[in-house]
Amino acid sequence: MAEMPDIAGNIARVQERIAQAAAKAGRAGEDIKLMLAAKYQPAENLIAAMEAGVNYFGHNLIPQLVEAEAAISTYPHFTSVIGHIQSNKLSTAMDHAQRIDTVDSLKNLQRINRRQEARIAAGEADAPYPVLLQVNSAAAPTQFGCSPQELLELASRGSELP
């Protein structure tokens, strides 16, 4: 049987480094939120992280997002999608995550908007769905994100959606 990782100890060490960096930058450490990437992590590890004081999680695999949310739904937490999302998994992602952090096209913004309008009409939501725009600043062909030159236009067009 595999030994349980020292999740609480690891988190404490990272939080200490965050506090030191924040102090060096003249910021309050508690103003900085640590988000854990939950890829391939079993629910017991996520629960251990919450018990250690972290309640922000990022998922990039939608089936794992659904499974994890079922296991940790009774705990206070915030989950976002941090990986490229296929359009056929968008509704599922929106049903299980509180935000999508990797929107990189007007087409996806429009899909999210249409889906959220349907959720509002069905009484499942009452506000616009939060998103973050993803920028591929390195122009890496293996990474997703809009170009820096497209960012302002994408943000402007997205802000016009209801």
Side-chain angles (χ1 to χ4, degrees):
M1 184 159 152
E3 187 177 321
M4 180 74 163
D6 181 17
I7 292 170
N10 291 341
I11 288 172
R13 285 186 286 283
V14 171
Q15 294 286 33
E16 178 58 31
R17 290 177 64 196
I18 289 170
Q20 290 171 359
K24 188 175 180 180
R27 295 184 60 191
E30 59 271 6
D31 292 342
I32 299 168
K33 303 293 183 216
L34 173 61
M35 178 185 283
L36 302 180
K39 186 175 186 178
Y40 302 125
Q41 293 301 311
E44 58 265 16
N45 287 359
L46 303 181
I47 292 167
M50 287 186 279
E51 290 171 351
V54 175
N55 62 356
Y56 284 85
F57 298 100
H59 283 273
N60 66 335
L61 302 172
I62 303 308
Q64 287 181 0
L65 163 68
V66 173
E67 185 178 313
E69 286 300 304
I72 67 172
S73 64
T74 59
Y75 295 86
H77 68 285
F78 183 91
T79 300
S80 21
V81 174
I82 58 172
H84 180 71
I85 186 164
Q86 298 170 333
S87 59
N88 65 335
K89 294 183 178 165
L90 184 62
S91 289
T92 302
M94 290 175 69
D95 288 341
H96 293 88
Q98 288 79 46
R99 187 177 68 208
I100 297 175
D101 293 359
T102 50
V103 178
D104 61 0
S105 70
L106 181 59
K107 185 184 216 179
N108 279 341
L109 281 173
Q110 291 168 333
R111 286 182 177 137
I112 291 166
N113 183 66
R114 281 192 304 273
R115 171 66 178 137
Q116 189 68 353
E117 285 180 333
R119 292 176 78 213
I120 290 170
E124 299 169 5
D126 60 5
Y129 190 84
V131 299
L132 298 178
L133 300 179
Q134 181 180 19
V135 180
N136 183 348
S137 60
T142 59
Q143 296 177 354
F144 292 96
C146 68
S147 72
Q149 297 78 17
E150 297 169 319
L151 177 60
L152 292 179
E153 176 69 16
L154 179 59
S156 176
R157 299 279 305 274
S159 70
E160 295 169 358
L161 297 171

